[in-house]
Amino acid sequence: PVAGDVPDGSELVWSPGAEKQFTELIASARAGTTLYVETEQLDSTVLENALIDAVKRGVTVNFTMTNTGEFTDGFNTLKTGGVNVHLYPPNAPIYIQSKAISVNNDTVYIGSTNFTTTSTNADRNVGIITQKKDIVDGLTATLIQDFEGAPAY
């Protein structure tokens, strides 16, 4: 499909055009819940602001990535905005390459789209949003484990 050409009700998230679906998913996070994010790259002001807005609404936002120097500005923006940023060192036994979001402990995204403007708005990526309990539970447990395993930024 071309940008925005995904059927209504589809669980698929296509890029170009994923930025809107990501911001809507993040905006659906309810106060008092924890939103988990893992990504390999970070340079989207829109998505960074969506995470910070979630913090302002009373959502705990836990963000995990591998510490790559080129994304320091984004890490600083998130941390200043109240996001809990945990980063694995580049030489850690695990490298975060996943692209995943867990919201409200009942909805997850998993796919190939990074938190970058290019990845959401230009490159071809695809992922899925689902509320299937076994997938939500398994993915959320992994995101929690990864977050807890990485040092705070």
Side-chain angles (χ1 to χ4, degrees), residues 86-101:
H86 283 203
L87 304 175
Y88 284 93
N91 62 347
I94 185 173
Y95 177 85
I96 300 298
Q97 188 173 11
S98 61
K99 292 82 173 171
I101 304 169

Side-chain angles (χ1 to χ4, degrees), residues 31-49:
T33 64
T34 301
L35 185 152
Y36 290 92
V37 176
E38 276 191 12
T39 187
E40 183 183 20
Q41 300 174 357
L42 173 70
D43 82 351
S44 170
T45 301
V46 170
L47 297 180
E48 291 165 17
N49 287 337

Side-chain angles (χ1 to χ4, degrees), residues 117-148:
T117 302
T118 302
S119 191
T120 59
N121 295 336
D123 295 343
R124 171 63 71 212
N125 286 285
V126 68
I128 189 165
I129 293 173
T130 186
Q131 293 182 323
K132 294 184 181 187
K133 184 170 176 25
D134 57 338
I135 296 171
V136 170
D137 292 349
L139 181 57
T140 301
T142 299
L143 295 176
I144 291 168
Q145 179 181 345
D146 289 352
F147 178 79
E148 291 175 352

Side-chain angles (χ1 to χ4, degrees), residues 54-135:
V55 170
K56 291 176 183 175
R57 292 192 318 273
V59 177
T60 299
V61 178
N62 292 343
F63 180 92
T64 310
M65 207 170 126
T66 296
N67 191 348
T68 308
E70 67 187 288
F71 304 114
T72 300
D73 288 346
F75 301 148
N76 290 337
T77 298
L78 292 178
K79 184 174 180 178
T80 300
V83 173
N84 301 310
V85 178
H86 283 203
L87 304 175
Y88 284 93
N91 62 347
I94 185 173
Y95 177 85
I96 300 298
Q97 188 173 11
S98 61
K99 292 82 173 171
I101 304 169
S102 175
V103 180
N104 300 322
N105 207 30
D106 66 6
T107 305
V108 294
Y109 163 84
I110 190 163
S112 62
T113 307
N114 280 301
F115 266 48
T116 67
T117 302
T118 302
S119 191
T120 59
N121 295 336
D123 295 343
R124 171 63 71 212
N125 286 285
V126 68
I128 189 165
I129 293 173
T130 186
Q131 293 182 323
K132 294 184 181 187
K133 184 170 176 25
D134 57 338
I135 296 171

